């Protein structure tokens, strides 16, 4: 099948299965540009463009022209008729026939009687029908048979045209462009040509590169559960596969994978090549929530990248498969749901009534189970709440045998758990929240359970009623409690006077109206009363056994000034206290009555706070020595202060007050007399000492004095010798003793020689010094 007259076509050498040289021709224009009639007149020819493909098979002396059957003949996709296209052959190596590439060209939208488009270009008079292309097509030659090539029998050798979608920066529409193909790297270079932008033609000098083996976004698909589900803190994967535009595995693809959500941190997974067009993608989210997972492929930056648009029929497995979408919606971007990781007790939280509660009141708090990254868990955890009565003094359980209190926990199936509890024993508790045995949620918490409102029917009084003496202080203690028997926990630092209204009355008689003092009877007013809060029997403000304040305890200190029989009464919030206990024989540390007796009394007199009753006077049961550390309940009797205590005897005190001044006068006179006598005796002795001294000095310095100096001095002072014969008035200073003990022959240079040789004037000069020094020695001795 000959092509006939043809121009503007493009041809390329072709090796059929690597054995036979063949020539391929594409497109062109089949008529003359200038038509000449039989009269040799010329006119513009009517052009007819072609998109046909011809092969020329060569033998030794024969060339066989065959018009190949393509998808154009079957009504399929194919390039529009054109001329001056750029044509090249890709992959025609070895036994591979490869693909015929066609880019751009010059065409026309005119159907019949049209001018040649090249004539319009040459005349620079383009019509509205002129079309310039920049599309890229390839004709798959793999189905070409030898029979078709040599005989024209091509019914079984239909060749398929495929449009290549040019990504990135595309060349402008042009014809007559140059085309060069690098079959090693599969790079397609397009350069130059003539472009058209109505109504102007222009010559191009640019250069474009098209990487034919790059991943083609429409032939890329993703698979794996990591596309749609993940868990926080867990490494997650999915897989990708990509083909090039020819359906071959594409290695070296450039992906951009992003995972983002509203108010959630973005994630950038890492992509690793597995070879053969396969890739793995790994990421690890940390925040639970709904994300959008987007996968793009392409070179040249995000503006030239496209969403992968392949389809995997089984996207939940790890086997990569590919199908064209064929009208199905593109699952990319994927909707990714990231769930929370395993419950992490230390990251879980609790809010609510965790540190303060009240006896008998239903309290509650909420526990939120979270994973290590703070994500809320979906529920289903095993959570227990235990509250142990705690001793803050020893930082240990108050009683190891005491069964701890527990809370009721309700799973809300959304990661939160409602916990509720009701405790009737006041005190400090250690509240622990455990997740399958592991303590968490910020626990343990120190829970303070306050007492309920005071219940006057539970109040009792105790004290020492056996030693009440007029003019002396006595103590009565009132313990206020709530309906559960807890001491009223009013902190003394916040409530120095307590929170309860305590009134003490000393009644000589009782009436029948509890709303009046002494129920309307006679009240003794000559009583000094002081009420203190949180002061114990020992006077301390904290209990030595618990280290806690004496909660709810009031000390009444009263001073009776009148003798007589009285009934002590205590009102608590306007209601008389029924139970009184005498603890006279108890040690101060255990002054409070025992709990059994208290409970028995409370049970006996259990009445409402507003009841009206006739009060009975109380008396003390004085305990014997064998009954120490016991208590007695005061009921129905009075206290006889006069008969119970003997007033002090003041007779001796009166006698001493009379005799004391007389004795003081006698003692004072005697002391003065002794002092006077001693003074006179001392004066007489000093006079005698001075006389003996002067006589001895004069004699020692006399020329007629005989004997040694010590003998002379002893002779003159013998009257002052002690009883034991020792001379108490001998000089005591060392220099004076030296003078006395010097040999007589040396005296000429010292004592007597000074007087004898120096004369009266020298004696008068030295005598005061000797007299003064010796006198001082004598007086001192």
């Amino acid at each position: 099948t000959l092509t006939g007259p043809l121009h503007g076509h493009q041809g390329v050498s072709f090796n059929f299965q690597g054995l036979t040289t063949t020539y391929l021709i594409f497109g062109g224009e089949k008529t003359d540009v200038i038509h000449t009639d039989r009269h040799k007149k010329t006119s513009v020819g009517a052009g007819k463009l072609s998109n046909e493909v011809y092969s020329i098979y060569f033998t030794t002396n024969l060339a066989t022209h065959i018009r190949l059957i393509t998808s154009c003949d079957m009504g399929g996709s194919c390039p529009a008729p054109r001329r001056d296209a750029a044509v090249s052959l890709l992959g025609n190596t070895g036994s591979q026939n490869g693909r015929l590439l066609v880019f751009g060209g010059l065409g026309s939208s005119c159907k019949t009687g049209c001018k040649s488009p090249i004539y319009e270009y040459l005349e620079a008079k383009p019509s509205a029908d002129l079309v310039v292309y920049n599309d890229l097509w390839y004709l798959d030659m793999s189905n070409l048979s030898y029979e078709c090539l040599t005989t024209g029998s091509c019914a079984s050798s239909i060749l398929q045209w495929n449009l290549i979608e040019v990504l990135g920066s595309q060349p402008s529409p042009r014809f007559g462009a140059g085309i060069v193909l690098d079959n090693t790297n599969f790079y397609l270079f397009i350069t130059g040509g003539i472009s058209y932008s109505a109504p102007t033609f222009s010559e191009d000098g640019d250069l474009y590169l098209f990487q034919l083996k790059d991943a083609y976004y429409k032939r890329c698909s993703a698979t794996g559960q990591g596309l749609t589900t993940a868990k926080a803190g867990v490494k997650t994967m999915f897989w990708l596969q990509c083909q090039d535009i020819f359906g071959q595995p594409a290695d070296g693809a450039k992906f951009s994978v992003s995972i983002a959500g509203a108010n959630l941190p973005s994630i950038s997974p890492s992509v690793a090549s597995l070879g053969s067009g396969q890739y793995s993608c790994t990421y690890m989210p940390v925040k639970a929530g709904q994300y959008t997972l987007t996968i793009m492929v392409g070179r040249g930056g995000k503006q030239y990248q496209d969403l992968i648009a392949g389809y995997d029929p089984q996207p939940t497995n790890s086997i990569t498969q590919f199908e064209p979408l064929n009208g199905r919606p593109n699952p990319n971007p994927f909707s990714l749901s990231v769930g929370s990781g395993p419950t992490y007790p230390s990251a879980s939280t609790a809010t609510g009534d965790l540190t303060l509660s009240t006896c008998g009141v239903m309290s509650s708090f909420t526990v939120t189970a979270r994973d290590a990254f703070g994500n809320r868990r979906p529920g289903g955890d095993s959570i227990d709440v235990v509250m142990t009565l705690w001793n803050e003094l020893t930082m240990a359980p108050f009683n190891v045998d005491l069964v701890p209190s527990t809370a009721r926990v309700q799973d809300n199936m959304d990661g939160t758990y409602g916990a509720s509890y009701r405790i009737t024993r006041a005190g400090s508790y250690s509240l622990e929240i455990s997740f399958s045995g592991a303590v968490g949620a910020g626990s343990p918490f120190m829970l303070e359970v306050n007492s309920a409102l005071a219940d006057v029917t539970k109040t009792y009084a105790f004290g020492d009623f056996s030693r009440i003496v007029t003019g002396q202080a006595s103590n009565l203690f009132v313990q206020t409690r709530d309906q559960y028997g807890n001491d009223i926990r009013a902190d003394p630092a916040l409530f120095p006077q307590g929170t309860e209204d305590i009134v003490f009355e000393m009644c000589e008689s009782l009436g029948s109206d509890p709303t009046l003092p002494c129920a309307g009877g006679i009240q003794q007013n000559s009583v000094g009363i002081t009420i203190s809060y949180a002061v114990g029997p020992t006077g301390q403000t904290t209990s030595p056994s618990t280290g806690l304040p004496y909660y709810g305890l009031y000390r009444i200190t009263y001073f009776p000034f009148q003798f007589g029989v009285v009934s002590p009464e205590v009102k608590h919030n306007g209601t008389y206290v029924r139970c009184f206990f005498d603890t006279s024989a108890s040690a101060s540390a255990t002054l409070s009555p025992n709990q059994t007796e208290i409970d028995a009394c409370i049970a006996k007199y259990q009445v409402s706070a507003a009841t009206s009753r006739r009060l009975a006077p109380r008396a003390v049961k004085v305990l014997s020595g064998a009954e120490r550390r016991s208590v007695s309940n005061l009921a129905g009797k009075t206290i006889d202060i006069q008969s119970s205590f003997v007033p002090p005897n003041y007779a001796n005190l009166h006698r001493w007050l009379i005799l004391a001044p007389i004795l003081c006068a006698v003692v004072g006179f005697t002391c003065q007399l002794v002092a006077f006598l001693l003074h006179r005796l001392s004066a007489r002795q000093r006079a005698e000492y001075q006389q003996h001294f002067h006589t001895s000095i004069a004699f020692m310095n006399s020329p007629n004095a005989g004997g040694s100096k010590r003998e002379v001095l002893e002779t003159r002072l013998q009257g002052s010798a002690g009883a034991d014969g020792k001379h108490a008035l001998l000089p005591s200073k060392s220099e004076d003793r030296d003078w006395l003990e010097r040999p007589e022959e040396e005296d000429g240079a010292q004592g007597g020689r000074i007087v004898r040789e120096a004369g009266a004037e020298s004696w008068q000069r030295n005598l005061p010094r000797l007299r003064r020094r010796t006198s001082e020695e004598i007086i001192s001795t």
Side-chain angles (χ1 to χ4, degrees):
T1 307
L2 299 177
T3 60
L6 193 64
H7 57 89
H9 57 282
Q10 298 295 323
V12 62
S13 176
F14 168 65
N15 290 322
F16 175 74
Q17 295 180 354
L19 302 174
T20 305
T21 300
T22 308
Y23 191 68
L24 297 179
I25 299 173
F26 168 76
E29 192 173 355
K30 292 191 174 184
T31 58
D32 294 333
V33 177
I34 303 298
H35 176 67
T36 303
D37 60 13
R38 59 194 181 102
H39 301 290
K40 296 185 179 182
K41 289 183 178 181
T42 61
S43 60
V44 179
K48 183 178 181 183
L49 300 174
S50 170
N51 60 357
E52 297 172 346
V53 180
Y54 288 84
S55 67
I56 305 175
Y57 176 71
F58 296 95
T59 60
T60 303
N61 56 359
L62 185 66
T64 305
H65 285 239
I66 301 296
R67 180 179 175 274
L68 302 179
I69 300 176
T70 68
S71 56
C72 291
D73 302 306
M74 309 304 296
S77 61
C78 66
R82 66 191 66 190
R83 58 169 295 153
D84 301 305
V87 177
S88 184
L89 197 62
L90 173 67
N92 183 217
T93 59
S95 61
Q96 301 295 321
N97 290 337
R99 301 169 183 84
L100 179 66
L101 296 178
V102 176
F103 170 75
L106 180 61
S108 176
S109 61
C110 181
K111 301 302 182 183
T112 59
C114 303
K115 292 180 181 180
S116 170
I118 195 64
Y119 180 85
E120 296 180 7
Y121 162 69
L122 295 173
E123 291 291 326
K125 295 179 179 179
S127 66
D129 297 327
L130 186 70
V131 179
V132 180
Y133 299 100
N134 68 340
D135 49 0
L136 179 62
W137 291 82
Y138 77 89
L139 182 66
D140 192 350
M141 307 296 295
S142 60
N143 201 33
L144 180 62
S145 66
Y146 183 76
E147 183 181 11
C148 174
L149 192 62
T150 58
T151 66
S153 180
C154 299
S156 60
S157 299
I158 301 175
L159 307 180
Q160 179 66 45
W161 279 106
N162 292 280
L163 175 65
I164 299 175
E165 185 175 356
V166 179
L167 305 176
S169 178
Q170 300 180 2
S172 60
R174 64 188 63 193
F175 62 95
I179 184 169
V180 178
L181 182 63
D182 179 359
N183 276 292
T184 301
N185 298 307
F186 294 94
Y187 290 168
L188 177 65
F189 296 93
I190 296 176
T191 181
I194 299 173
S195 60
Y196 172 70
S197 177
T200 304
F201 293 96
S202 60
E203 295 182 357
D204 297 315
D206 47 12
L207 174 65
Y208 285 86
L209 168 65
F210 185 58
Q211 295 175 309
L212 299 173
K213 296 297 290 184
D214 263 5
Y216 183 39
Y217 75 97
K218 289 186 177 180
R219 287 187 169 272
C220 293
S221 60
T223 188
Q225 291 185 346
L227 294 168
T228 55
T229 58
K231 282 192 174 183
V234 178
K235 187 177 180 180
T236 307
M237 296 182 66
F238 61 89
W239 291 264
L240 299 168
Q241 74 82 31
C242 269
Q243 300 173 4
D244 59 22
I245 57 175
F246 311 115
Q248 299 301 310
D251 292 327
K254 301 298 182 181
F255 292 97
S256 176
V257 183
S258 66
I259 301 175
N263 301 320
L264 294 170
S266 60
I267 306 170
S268 298
S270 59
V271 181
S273 177
L274 304 176
S276 300
Q278 307 288 320
Y279 303 85
S280 66
C281 190
T282 307
Y283 67 96
M284 186 176 73
V286 295
K287 287 296 182 181
Q290 293 297 319
Y291 292 80
T292 298
L293 189 153
T294 306
I295 307 172
M296 303 184 75
V297 66
R299 297 180 185 273
K302 289 188 177 181
Q303 65 269 32
Y304 300 120
Q305 290 182 326
D306 295 277
L307 290 171
I308 65 170
Y311 178 75
D312 192 314
Q314 292 182 324
T316 58
N317 60 22
S318 59
I319 302 174
T320 54
Q321 298 171 299
F322 168 73
E323 291 181 6
L325 289 178
N326 293 331
R328 289 174 290 202
N330 188 358
N332 183 27
F334 297 88
S335 178
L336 172 63
S337 176
V338 177
S340 59
T343 299
Y344 200 70
S346 61
S348 300
T349 57
T351 56
D353 301 328
L354 294 164
T355 58
L356 187 63
S357 183
T358 303
C359 284
V361 176
M362 186 65 71
S363 300
S364 62
F365 58 89
T366 300
V367 178
T368 304
R370 300 183 182 276
D371 63 12
F373 303 98
N375 300 300
R376 194 165 73 180
R377 294 275 297 142
D381 293 286
S382 176
I383 296 181
D384 298 298
V385 179
V386 177
M387 292 161 286
T388 305
L389 191 62
W390 201 253
N391 189 329
E392 292 185 300
L393 185 64
T394 62
M395 295 307 293
F398 187 82
N399 186 349
V400 295
D401 298 326
L402 189 65
V403 178
S405 300
T406 58
R408 180 177 177 270
V409 180
Q410 176 68 39
D411 189 351
N412 298 325
M413 302 308 293
D414 60 354
T416 64
Y417 301 81
S420 57
Y421 63 92
R422 179 177 177 270
I423 298 178
T424 58
R425 181 169 179 172
S428 299
Y429 288 79
S430 175
L431 188 153
E432 285 188 348
I433 304 171
S434 60
F435 299 76
S436 300
V439 177
S443 65
F445 297 96
M446 190 54 63
L447 172 65
E448 291 293 331
V449 179
N450 288 329
S451 56
L453 295 176
D455 185 351
V456 295
T457 64
K458 301 289 185 178
T459 303
Y460 63 90
F462 62 92
D464 185 357
F465 296 105
S466 63
R467 291 185 288 270
I468 302 177
V469 180
T470 56
Q472 295 185 9
S474 298
N475 290 324
L476 173 65
F477 297 90
V478 180
Q479 183 64 65
T480 58
R481 303 191 299 169
D482 63 11
Q483 60 177 319
Y484 306 104
N486 299 297
D487 299 338
I488 300 301
R489 291 174 68 90
D491 190 350
L494 301 177
F495 305 97
Q497 305 302 321
T499 58
E500 307 304 306
D501 182 20
I502 303 297
V503 177
F504 177 74
E505 300 173 351
M506 192 76 83
C507 301
E508 296 181 0
S509 64
L510 299 172
S512 59
D513 186 356
T515 62
L516 299 176
C518 291
I522 300 175
Q523 180 181 6
Q524 187 180 105
N525 294 320
S526 58
V527 179
I529 301 173
T530 302
I531 299 178
S532 304
Y533 177 62
V535 179
T538 61
Q540 297 178 335
T541 57
T542 57
S543 172
S545 60
T546 64
L548 299 176
Y550 284 100
Y551 287 125
L553 184 66
Y554 295 81
R555 183 184 69 178
I556 302 174
T557 303
Y558 58 97
F559 298 80
F561 294 101
Q562 292 183 3
F563 299 100
V565 178
V566 295
S567 175
E569 297 291 339
V570 175
K571 275 186 177 181
H572 176 197
N573 292 344
T575 301
Y576 283 104
V577 177
R578 301 296 298 273
C579 292
F580 276 67
F581 299 91
D582 178 25
T583 54
S584 302
S586 299
S588 60
T590 56
L591 191 60
S592 178
N594 64 69
Q595 192 61 43
T596 303
E597 195 157 0
I598 294 173
D599 293 341
C601 180
I602 295 296
K604 179 179 178 181
Y605 292 107
Q606 189 73 43
V607 293
S608 65
T611 186
S612 176
R613 64 181 178 87
R614 182 177 181 82
L615 298 177
R618 298 181 176 83
V620 177
K621 176 185 179 183
V622 181
L623 306 178
S624 64
E627 296 175 312
R628 286 184 63 82
R629 305 180 70 85
S630 63
V631 296
S632 61
N633 184 20
L634 301 178
K637 296 183 180 179
T638 59
I639 298 175
D640 188 350
I641 298 177
Q642 185 177 13
S643 61
S644 299
F645 303 96
V646 178
N649 189 350
Y650 297 107
N652 291 332
L653 180 61
H654 292 164
R655 285 195 295 270
W656 278 107
L657 290 175
I658 296 173
L659 292 176
I662 299 174
L663 292 175
C664 289
V666 171
V667 171
F669 176 77
T670 303
C671 291
Q672 290 290 336
L673 180 62
V674 171
F676 175 76
L677 294 175
L678 291 175
H679 176 72
R680 294 298 303 269
L681 179 61
S682 177
R684 178 180 298 179
Q685 289 179 345
R686 282 197 300 272
E688 291 177 357
Y689 293 159
Q690 290 177 357
Q691 181 180 359
H692 288 311
F693 170 75
H694 294 154
T695 303
S696 297
I697 294 298
F699 181 81
M700 284 188 296
N701 289 281
S702 172
N704 298 322
S708 66
K709 290 178 286 185
R710 180 174 293 276
E711 291 176 350
V712 172
L713 186 61
E714 289 179 352
T715 301
R716 296 301 181 188
L717 301 179
Q718 60 183 352
S720 60
D724 56 356
K726 295 183 179 180
H727 300 287
L729 299 179
L730 288 177
S732 60
K733 291 186 178 179
S734 60
E735 57 183 8
D736 295 333
R737 287 196 180 97
D738 290 342
W739 174 74
L740 290 174
E741 294 175 359
R742 276 197 301 270
E744 291 295 331
E745 56 271 16
E746 297 179 4
D747 189 55
Q750 300 293 335
R753 181 176 295 179
I754 297 174
V755 178
R756 288 193 296 270
E757 294 182 358
E761 182 179 357
S762 176
W763 164 248
Q764 292 298 327
R765 187 173 59 250
N766 290 282
L767 183 60
R769 176 177 61 82
L770 295 173
R771 180 181 297 168
R772 183 171 61 253
R773 184 175 64 182
T774 307
S775 177
E776 290 173 355
E777 295 281 349
I778 295 172
I779 293 172
S780 173
T781 304

